[in-house]
Amino acid sequence: MSELRKKSKEKPVVGTCCLSTSPEFFAATMAAGLDFVFIDTEHVAIPRDKLSWMCRAYAGAGVVPIVRVPEPEPFRVCEYIDGGALGIVAPYVESLDQVLTLVGAVKLRPLKGKRLEGCLRLLKTAAHELMSSDTGDSDSDSPITVPSMHALLQAEFGEELCEYVRKKNENLQLFINIESVPALGRLPALLSVPGLDGVFIGPADLSVSLGVPRQWHDETFHAAVTEIIRETRRRGLSVGCHYSFDRAVEYQKKWVSEGADMIVHASDVSLYSKALSLDLQSLRELGTPAGSGQSAGSSQESCETVDV
């Protein structure tokens, strides 16, 4: 289990989305005392070398770098882990097979080929068995235990190989973005795969899929977020909502009260934009600048008396 997972069991861990590659933003972010940073390469073009610098700089300062990849593709995931990412967020996941492939890329490195396929078949069988044992009672809060991935694989592939894979990947975390109605409908299946660490809720895409685009106060949106939090936490997995819109602090507190153990608050760019907008709004409310009523002649005279 990673150190971030251990910390989240004691109290919610706090992070923000980092979009800027500027070293100045790194210094400002570090001053906030974050537990992790969420670096988004799905919507922001960050070159691979700069991404690696960001990941290693944050990790070296004791802040866990969690990177959202552009697509749920295993080879891209491995590239980012090799570059220093300690957590992966895969966007728009909707199928059990996608989760299995991602677990293989994050938690079973460096296994590939037939050996990896054999591991994933075992995990898929375990996921189906867990789903069949679930009563399907959506109102239940009773815990559901997801089997240990390494316990399952050790019986099949031996202790030495499984221990090597476990130690190599023990500090890595895998999260999936739940951000669509199909994913919401398949949530029990998606969360049943051993090796998955948690869920990042994608509010913008989720609201659109629900038919209430960016209507942040709509009950349909909040009911969906509450359901995702409940079902994820029932399985002992981590969950947070990356939210940078209206009433952000209020809603983050609400979701923590419902069980969220990760706070993914705003982003460097959104916080900068909000602060700048408020400052400019206040400055534009100022009255007429002093001296603006001077005649052209007096202005000229004033200029002529200046010793340059």
Side-chain angles (χ1 to χ4, degrees), residues 263-276:
I263 299 172
V264 197
H265 179 62
S267 70
D268 47 13
V269 172
S270 69
L271 292 171
Y272 162 79
S273 176
K274 184 180 296 184
L276 181 62

Side-chain angles (χ1 to χ4, degrees), residues 88-131:
I88 293 292
V89 178
Y92 228 86
V93 171
E94 294 185 331
S95 75
L96 178 66
D97 285 338
Q98 283 179 310
V99 182
L100 284 164
T101 301
L102 291 163
V103 168
V106 177
K107 295 301 185 71
L108 296 175
R109 297 181 321 131
L111 298 181
K112 295 181 178 67
K114 294 297 183 181
R115 176 56 63 88
L116 178 59
E117 290 174 8
C119 292
L120 297 183
R121 278 196 299 270
L122 284 175
L123 298 183
K124 188 171 188 177
T125 299
H128 282 298
E129 290 176 351
L130 182 61
M131 285 186 285

Side-chain angles (χ1 to χ4, degrees), residues 285-300:
E285 292 172 354
L286 296 174
T288 303
S292 61
Q294 290 180 323
S295 66
S298 63
S299 297
Q300 179 67 28

